[in-house]
């Protein structure tokens, strides 16, 4: 079995821990966590350590902390010649100042309260030694059916694209909900449309799936919408996105 130590106790760490525990190929050796309570709902307190000096050798150390803490945490590991990876979408592999280093990036949005099907999550992996890459690939394949060899530069571009399709899209949902509330309309009325839009791009390219007044050049409807928008920020966003659609 592959022995794994997790460094971190946040959302990504939480989901990794849960899936490692479900695997018959992986063994969770230790968890380094500043906050014990954040992981003891999953594991016995005996394998949780608060001091880096208590870390034992493992086949792989997975750093699942905030981007700003990755370098500090990796530099604090007291053991020599250990294979260490981080899980960030934007931090390059070179940020790990270690001989054996890599990246295990899961292209998904995580919350502790919602379970995620790891088998469908794309895993983007990278390592600077062939043997370590093979080990990382073995771990990723035990989690998911979608494993990709992705460089640090490619991963940064993927993360940027993900911000557009996930974070920005969710913010559009927030603005739409605010418009609904302003006019006493339940946001639930839009959910079938949201689901259909997401399902549509599984079969069509986003450009082919584009609909709406901007794509058909319906300036009359656009003007009516702009009149309805009393918030200047929403109006600016509407105009900017309308222009972007029309430019294509």
């Amino acid at each position: 079995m592959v022995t794994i130590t997790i460094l971190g106790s946040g959302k990504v760490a939480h989901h990794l821990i849960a899936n490692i525990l479900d695997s018959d190929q992986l063994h969770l050796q230790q968890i380094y966590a500043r906050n014990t309570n954040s992981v003891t709902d999953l594991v016995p307190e005996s394998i949780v350590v608060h001091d880096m000096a208590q870390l034992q050798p493992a086949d792989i150390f997975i750093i699942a902390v905030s981007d700003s803490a990755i370098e500090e945490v990796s530099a604090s590991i007291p053991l020599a010649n250990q294979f260490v990876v981080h899980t960030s979408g934007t931090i390059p592999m070179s940020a790990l100042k270690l001989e054996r280093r890599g990246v295990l990036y899961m292209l998904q949005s995580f919350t502790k309260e919602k379970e995620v099907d790891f088998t469908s999550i794309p895993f983007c992996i990278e390592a600077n030694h062939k043997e370590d890459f093979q080990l990382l690939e073995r771990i990723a394949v035990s989690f998911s059916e979608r494993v990709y060899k992705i460089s640090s530069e490619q991963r940064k571009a993927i993360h940027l694209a993900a911000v557009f399709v996930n974070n920005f899209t969710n913010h559009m949902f927030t603005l739409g909900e605010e418009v609904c509330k302003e006019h006493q309309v339940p946001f639930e009325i839009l959910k079938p449309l949201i689901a259909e839009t997401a399902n549509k791009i599984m079969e069509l390219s986003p450009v082919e799936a584009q609909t709406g007044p901007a794509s058909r050049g319906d300036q009359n409807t656009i003007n009516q919408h702009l009149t309805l928008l009393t918030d200047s920020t929403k109006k600016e966003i509407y105009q900017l996105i309308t222009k972007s659609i029309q430019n294509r």
Side-chain angles (χ1 to χ4, degrees), residues 206-247:
V207 172
E208 291 173 323
Q210 187 68 58
T211 61
S215 65
R216 62 176 181 266
D218 185 353
Q219 193 60 45
N220 181 53
T221 298
I222 291 170
N223 291 339
Q224 289 183 48
H225 288 171
L226 290 172
T227 301
L228 272 175
L229 289 170
T230 56
D231 180 84
S232 60
T233 300
K234 286 190 182 73
K235 185 173 291 190
E236 185 178 355
I237 291 171
Y238 185 102
Q239 290 173 315
L240 184 61
I241 294 178
T242 294
K243 183 179 180 181
S244 180
I245 293 170
Q246 291 176 333
N247 285 344

CSV table of all heavy atoms in Angstrom, one decimal, residues 206-247:
chain,number,residue,atom,x,y,z
A,206,PRO,N,-19.3,25.9,-26.4
A,206,PRO,CA,-20.0,27.1,-25.8
A,206,PRO,C,-20.4,28.1,-26.9
A,206,PRO,O,-21.5,28.7,-26.7
A,206,PRO,CB,-18.9,27.7,-24.9
A,206,PRO,CG,-18.1,26.5,-24.5
A,206,PRO,CD,-18.0,25.6,-25.8
A,207,VAL,N,-19.6,28.3,-27.9
A,207,VAL,CA,-20.0,29.2,-29.0
A,207,VAL,C,-21.3,28.8,-29.7
A,207,VAL,O,-22.2,29.6,-29.9
A,207,VAL,CB,-18.8,29.4,-30.0
A,207,VAL,CG1,-19.3,30.2,-31.2
A,207,VAL,CG2,-17.6,30.1,-29.3
A,208,GLU,N,-21.4,27.5,-29.9
A,208,GLU,CA,-22.6,27.0,-30.6
A,208,GLU,C,-23.8,27.1,-29.7
A,208,GLU,O,-25.0,27.2,-30.1
A,208,GLU,CB,-22.4,25.5,-31.0
A,208,GLU,CG,-21.4,25.4,-32.2
A,208,GLU,CD,-21.1,23.9,-32.4
A,208,GLU,OE1,-21.0,23.1,-31.5
A,208,GLU,OE2,-20.9,23.6,-33.6
A,209,ALA,N,-23.6,27.0,-28.4
A,209,ALA,CA,-24.7,26.9,-27.4
A,209,ALA,C,-25.2,28.3,-27.1
A,209,ALA,O,-26.2,28.5,-26.4
A,209,ALA,CB,-24.3,26.2,-26.2
A,210,GLN,N,-24.5,29.4,-27.5
A,210,GLN,CA,-24.8,30.7,-27.1
A,210,GLN,C,-26.2,31.2,-27.6
A,210,GLN,O,-26.4,31.0,-28.8
A,210,GLN,CB,-23.7,31.7,-27.5
A,210,GLN,CG,-23.9,33.1,-27.0
A,210,GLN,CD,-23.7,33.2,-25.5
A,210,GLN,OE1,-22.6,32.9,-25.0
A,210,GLN,NE2,-24.7,33.7,-24.8
A,211,THR,N,-27.0,31.7,-26.7
A,211,THR,CA,-28.3,32.2,-27.1
A,211,THR,C,-28.5,33.6,-26.5
A,211,THR,O,-27.5,34.1,-25.8
A,211,THR,CB,-29.5,31.3,-26.7
A,211,THR,OG1,-29.5,31.2,-25.2
A,211,THR,CG2,-29.4,29.9,-27.3
A,212,GLY,N,-29.6,34.2,-26.7
A,212,GLY,CA,-29.9,35.5,-26.0
A,212,GLY,C,-29.9,36.7,-26.9
A,212,GLY,O,-29.5,36.6,-28.1
A,213,PRO,N,-30.3,37.8,-26.4
A,213,PRO,CA,-30.4,39.1,-27.2
A,213,PRO,C,-29.1,39.5,-27.8
A,213,PRO,O,-29.1,40.0,-28.9
A,213,PRO,CB,-31.0,40.1,-26.2
A,213,PRO,CG,-30.7,39.6,-24.8
A,213,PRO,CD,-30.7,38.1,-25.0
A,214,ALA,N,-28.0,39.4,-27.1
A,214,ALA,CA,-26.7,39.8,-27.6
A,214,ALA,C,-26.3,39.0,-28.8
A,214,ALA,O,-25.8,39.5,-29.8
A,214,ALA,CB,-25.6,39.7,-26.5
A,215,SER,N,-26.5,37.7,-28.8
A,215,SER,CA,-26.1,36.8,-29.9
A,215,SER,C,-26.9,37.0,-31.1
A,215,SER,O,-26.5,36.8,-32.2
A,215,SER,CB,-26.1,35.3,-29.4
A,215,SER,OG,-27.4,34.9,-29.1
A,216,ARG,N,-28.2,37.4,-30.9
A,216,ARG,CA,-29.1,37.6,-32.1
A,216,ARG,C,-29.2,39.1,-32.5
A,216,ARG,O,-30.0,39.4,-33.4
A,216,ARG,CB,-30.5,37.0,-31.8
A,216,ARG,CG,-31.3,37.6,-30.7
A,216,ARG,CD,-32.6,36.9,-30.6
A,216,ARG,NE,-33.4,37.5,-29.5
A,216,ARG,CZ,-33.5,37.0,-28.3
A,216,ARG,NH1,-32.8,35.9,-28.0
A,216,ARG,NH2,-34.2,37.6,-27.3
A,217,GLY,N,-28.5,39.9,-31.8
A,217,GLY,CA,-28.5,41.3,-32.2
A,217,GLY,C,-29.8,42.1,-31.9
A,217,GLY,O,-30.2,43.0,-32.6
A,218,ASP,N,-30.4,41.7,-30.8
A,218,ASP,CA,-31.7,42.2,-30.4
A,218,ASP,C,-31.5,43.5,-29.5
A,218,ASP,O,-31.6,43.4,-28.3
A,218,ASP,CB,-32.5,41.2,-29.7
A,218,ASP,CG,-34.0,41.6,-29.3
A,218,ASP,OD1,-34.3,42.8,-29.6
A,218,ASP,OD2,-34.7,40.8,-28.8
A,219,GLN,N,-31.2,44.6,-30.1
A,219,GLN,CA,-30.9,45.8,-29.4
A,219,GLN,C,-32.1,46.3,-28.6
A,219,GLN,O,-31.9,46.9,-27.5
A,219,GLN,CB,-30.4,46.9,-30.4
A,219,GLN,CG,-29.7,48.1,-29.7
A,219,GLN,CD,-28.5,47.7,-28.9
A,219,GLN,OE1,-27.7,46.9,-29.3
A,219,GLN,NE2,-28.4,48.2,-27.6
A,220,ASN,N,-33.3,46.1,-29.1
A,220,ASN,CA,-34.5,46.6,-28.4
A,220,ASN,C,-34.6,45.9,-27.0
A,220,ASN,O,-34.8,46.6,-26.0
A,220,ASN,CB,-35.7,46.3,-29.2
A,220,ASN,CG,-37.0,46.8,-28.5
A,220,ASN,OD1,-37.1,48.0,-28.1
A,220,ASN,ND2,-38.0,45.9,-28.3
A,221,THR,N,-34.4,44.6,-26.9
A,221,THR,CA,-34.4,43.9,-25.6
A,221,THR,C,-33.2,44.3,-24.8
A,221,THR,O,-33.4,44.5,-23.5
A,221,THR,CB,-34.3,42.4,-25.9
A,221,THR,OG1,-35.5,42.0,-26.6
A,221,THR,CG2,-34.3,41.6,-24.6
A,222,ILE,N,-32.1,44.5,-25.4
A,222,ILE,CA,-30.9,44.9,-24.6
A,222,ILE,C,-31.2,46.3,-23.9
A,222,ILE,O,-30.9,46.5,-22.7
A,222,ILE,CB,-29.7,45.0,-25.5
A,222,ILE,CG1,-29.2,43.6,-26.0
A,222,ILE,CG2,-28.5,45.7,-24.8
A,222,ILE,CD1,-28.2,43.6,-27.0
A,223,ASN,N,-31.8,47.2,-24.7
A,223,ASN,CA,-32.1,48.5,-24.1
A,223,ASN,C,-33.1,48.4,-23.0
A,223,ASN,O,-33.0,49.1,-22.0
A,223,ASN,CB,-32.6,49.4,-25.2
A,223,ASN,CG,-31.6,49.8,-26.2
A,223,ASN,OD1,-30.4,49.7,-25.9
A,223,ASN,ND2,-32.0,50.2,-27.4
A,224,GLN,N,-34.1,47.5,-23.1
A,224,GLN,CA,-35.1,47.3,-22.0
A,224,GLN,C,-34.4,46.8,-20.8
A,224,GLN,O,-34.7,47.2,-19.7
A,224,GLN,CB,-36.2,46.4,-22.5
A,224,GLN,CG,-37.1,46.9,-23.6
A,224,GLN,CD,-38.2,45.9,-24.0
A,224,GLN,OE1,-38.8,45.4,-23.1
A,224,GLN,NE2,-38.4,45.7,-25.2
A,225,HIS,N,-33.5,45.9,-21.0
A,225,HIS,CA,-32.8,45.3,-19.8
A,225,HIS,C,-32.0,46.4,-19.1
A,225,HIS,O,-31.9,46.5,-17.9
A,225,HIS,CB,-31.9,44.2,-20.3
A,225,HIS,CG,-32.6,42.9,-20.7
A,225,HIS,ND1,-32.0,41.8,-21.3
A,225,HIS,CD2,-33.9,42.6,-20.5
A,225,HIS,CE1,-32.8,40.9,-21.5
A,225,HIS,NE2,-34.0,41.3,-21.1
A,226,LEU,N,-31.3,47.2,-19.9
A,226,LEU,CA,-30.5,48.3,-19.3
A,226,LEU,C,-31.3,49.3,-18.5
A,226,LEU,O,-30.9,49.8,-17.5
A,226,LEU,CB,-29.6,49.0,-20.4
A,226,LEU,CG,-28.5,48.1,-21.0
A,226,LEU,CD1,-27.9,48.8,-22.2
A,226,LEU,CD2,-27.4,47.8,-20.0
A,227,THR,N,-32.5,49.5,-19.0
A,227,THR,CA,-33.4,50.4,-18.3
A,227,THR,C,-33.9,49.8,-17.0
A,227,THR,O,-34.0,50.5,-16.0
A,227,THR,CB,-34.7,50.7,-19.2
A,227,THR,OG1,-34.3,51.3,-20.4
A,227,THR,CG2,-35.6,51.6,-18.5
A,228,LEU,N,-34.0,48.5,-16.9
A,228,LEU,CA,-34.5,47.8,-15.7
A,228,LEU,C,-33.3,47.8,-14.6
A,228,LEU,O,-33.6,47.8,-13.4
A,228,LEU,CB,-34.8,46.3,-16.0
A,228,LEU,CG,-36.3,46.0,-16.4
A,228,LEU,CD1,-36.4,44.6,-16.8
A,228,LEU,CD2,-37.2,46.4,-15.3
A,229,LEU,N,-32.1,47.8,-15.1
A,229,LEU,CA,-31.0,47.7,-14.2
A,229,LEU,C,-30.7,49.1,-13.5
A,229,LEU,O,-30.3,50.0,-14.2
A,229,LEU,CB,-29.7,47.2,-14.9
A,229,LEU,CG,-29.7,45.8,-15.3
A,229,LEU,CD1,-28.6,45.5,-16.2
A,229,LEU,CD2,-29.7,44.9,-14.1
A,230,THR,N,-31.0,49.2,-12.2
A,230,THR,CA,-30.7,50.5,-11.5
A,230,THR,C,-29.3,50.5,-10.9
A,230,THR,O,-28.8,51.6,-10.6
A,230,THR,CB,-31.8,50.6,-10.4
A,230,THR,OG1,-31.8,49.5,-9.5
A,230,THR,CG2,-33.2,50.8,-11.0
A,231,ASP,N,-28.7,49.3,-10.7
A,231,ASP,CA,-27.4,49.2,-10.1
A,231,ASP,C,-26.4,49.5,-11.2
A,231,ASP,O,-26.3,48.8,-12.2
A,231,ASP,CB,-27.2,47.9,-9.5
A,231,ASP,CG,-25.9,47.7,-8.8
A,231,ASP,OD1,-25.7,48.1,-7.7
A,231,ASP,OD2,-24.9,47.2,-9.5
A,232,SER,N,-25.5,50.4,-11.0
A,232,SER,CA,-24.5,50.8,-12.0
A,232,SER,C,-23.5,49.7,-12.3
A,232,SER,O,-23.1,49.5,-13.5
A,232,SER,CB,-23.8,52.1,-11.6
A,232,SER,OG,-23.1,51.9,-10.4
A,233,THR,N,-23.1,48.9,-11.3
A,233,THR,CA,-22.2,47.8,-11.5
A,233,THR,C,-22.8,46.7,-12.4
A,233,THR,O,-22.2,46.2,-13.3
A,233,THR,CB,-21.7,47.2,-10.2
A,233,THR,OG1,-21.1,48.3,-9.4
A,233,THR,CG2,-20.7,46.1,-10.4
A,234,LYS,N,-24.1,46.4,-12.1
A,234,LYS,CA,-24.7,45.4,-12.9
A,234,LYS,C,-24.9,45.8,-14.3
A,234,LYS,O,-24.7,45.1,-15.3
A,234,LYS,CB,-26.1,45.1,-12.3
A,234,LYS,CG,-26.2,44.2,-11.0
A,234,LYS,CD,-27.6,43.8,-10.7
A,234,LYS,CE,-27.7,43.0,-9.4
A,234,LYS,NZ,-27.5,43.8,-8.2
A,235,LYS,N,-25.2,47.1,-14.5
A,235,LYS,CA,-25.4,47.7,-15.8
A,235,LYS,C,-24.0,47.6,-16.6
A,235,LYS,O,-24.0,47.2,-17.8
A,235,LYS,CB,-25.9,49.1,-15.7
A,235,LYS,CG,-26.2,49.7,-17.1
A,235,LYS,CD,-26.8,51.1,-16.9
A,235,LYS,CE,-28.2,51.0,-16.4
A,235,LYS,NZ,-29.0,52.3,-16.4
A,236,GLU,N,-22.9,47.9,-15.9
A,236,GLU,CA,-21.6,47.9,-16.6
A,236,GLU,C,-21.3,46.5,-17.0
A,236,GLU,O,-20.7,46.2,-18.1
A,236,GLU,CB,-20.6,48.4,-15.6
A,236,GLU,CG,-19.2,48.6,-16.2
A,236,GLU,CD,-18.2,49.2,-15.2
A,236,GLU,OE1,-18.6,49.6,-14.1
A,236,GLU,OE2,-17.0,49.2,-15.6
A,237,ILE,N,-21.5,45.5,-16.1
A,237,ILE,CA,-21.3,44.1,-16.4
A,237,ILE,C,-22.1,43.6,-17.5
A,237,ILE,O,-21.6,43.0,-18.5
A,237,ILE,CB,-21.5,43.2,-15.1
A,237,ILE,CG1,-20.5,43.5,-14.0
A,237,ILE,CG2,-21.5,41.7,-15.5
A,237,ILE,CD1,-20.8,42.9,-12.7
A,238,TYR,N,-23.4,44.0,-17.5
A,238,TYR,CA,-24.3,43.6,-18.6
A,238,TYR,C,-23.8,44.1,-20.0
A,238,TYR,O,-23.7,43.4,-21.0
A,238,TYR,CB,-25.7,44.1,-18.4
A,238,TYR,CG,-26.7,43.7,-19.4
A,238,TYR,CD1,-27.6,42.7,-19.1
A,238,TYR,CD2,-26.8,44.3,-20.6
A,238,TYR,CE1,-28.6,42.3,-20.0
A,238,TYR,CE2,-27.8,43.9,-21.6
A,238,TYR,CZ,-28.7,42.9,-21.2
A,238,TYR,OH,-29.6,42.5,-22.1
A,239,GLN,N,-23.3,45.4,-20.0
A,239,GLN,CA,-22.9,46.0,-21.2
A,239,GLN,C,-21.6,45.4,-21.7
A,239,GLN,O,-21.4,45.1,-22.9
A,239,GLN,CB,-22.7,47.5,-21.0
A,239,GLN,CG,-24.0,48.3,-20.9
A,239,GLN,CD,-23.8,49.7,-20.5
A,239,GLN,OE1,-23.0,50.0,-19.6
A,239,GLN,NE2,-24.5,50.6,-21.2
A,240,LEU,N,-20.7,45.1,-20.8
A,240,LEU,CA,-19.4,44.5,-21.1
A,240,LEU,C,-19.5,43.1,-21.7
A,240,LEU,O,-18.9,42.8,-22.7
A,240,LEU,CB,-18.5,44.5,-19.9
A,240,LEU,CG,-17.0,44.0,-20.1
A,240,LEU,CD1,-16.3,44.9,-21.0
A,240,LEU,CD2,-16.3,43.9,-18.7
A,241,ILE,N,-20.4,42.3,-21.0
A,241,ILE,CA,-20.5,40.9,-21.5
A,241,ILE,C,-21.3,40.9,-22.8
A,241,ILE,O,-21.0,40.1,-23.7
A,241,ILE,CB,-21.3,40.1,-20.4
A,241,ILE,CG1,-20.3,39.9,-19.2
A,241,ILE,CG2,-21.6,38.7,-21.0
A,241,ILE,CD1,-20.9,39.1,-18.1
A,242,THR,N,-22.3,41.8,-23.0
A,242,THR,CA,-23.0,41.9,-24.2
A,242,THR,C,-22.1,42.2,-25.4
A,242,THR,O,-22.1,41.6,-26.4
A,242,THR,CB,-24.1,43.0,-24.1
A,242,THR,OG1,-25.1,42.6,-23.2
A,242,THR,CG2,-24.8,43.3,-25.5
A,243,LYS,N,-21.2,43.2,-25.1
A,243,LYS,CA,-20.2,43.6,-26.2
A,243,LYS,C,-19.3,42.4,-26.5
A,243,LYS,O,-18.9,42.1,-27.7
A,243,LYS,CB,-19.4,44.8,-25.7
A,243,LYS,CG,-18.4,45.3,-26.7
A,243,LYS,CD,-17.6,46.5,-26.1
A,243,LYS,CE,-16.6,47.0,-27.2
A,243,LYS,NZ,-15.8,48.2,-26.6
A,244,SER,N,-18.8,41.6,-25.5
A,244,SER,CA,-17.9,40.5,-25.7
A,244,SER,C,-18.6,39.4,-26.5
A,244,SER,O,-18.0,38.9,-27.4
A,244,SER,CB,-17.5,39.9,-24.3
A,244,SER,OG,-16.7,38.8,-24.5
A,245,ILE,N,-19.9,39.2,-26.3
A,245,ILE,CA,-20.7,38.2,-27.1
A,245,ILE,C,-20.8,38.7,-28.5
A,245,ILE,O,-20.6,37.9,-29.5
A,245,ILE,CB,-22.1,38.0,-26.5
A,245,ILE,CG1,-22.0,37.2,-25.1
A,245,ILE,CG2,-23.0,37.1,-27.4
A,245,ILE,CD1,-23.2,37.2,-24.3
A,246,GLN,N,-21.1,39.9,-28.7
A,246,GLN,CA,-21.3,40.5,-30.0
A,246,GLN,C,-20.0,40.5,-30.8
A,246,GLN,O,-20.1,40.4,-32.0
A,246,GLN,CB,-21.9,41.9,-29.9
A,246,GLN,CG,-23.4,41.9,-29.4
A,246,GLN,CD,-24.0,43.3,-29.3
A,246,GLN,OE1,-23.2,44.2,-29.0
A,246,GLN,NE2,-25.3,43.4,-29.4
A,247,ASN,N,-18.9,40.7,-30.1
A,247,ASN,CA,-17.6,40.7,-30.8
A,247,ASN,C,-17.2,39.4,-31.4
A,247,ASN,O,-16.4,39.3,-32.3
A,247,ASN,CB,-16.5,41.2,-29.9
A,247,ASN,CG,-16.6,42.7,-29.6
A,247,ASN,OD1,-17.2,43.4,-30.4
A,247,ASN,ND2,-15.9,43.2,-28.6
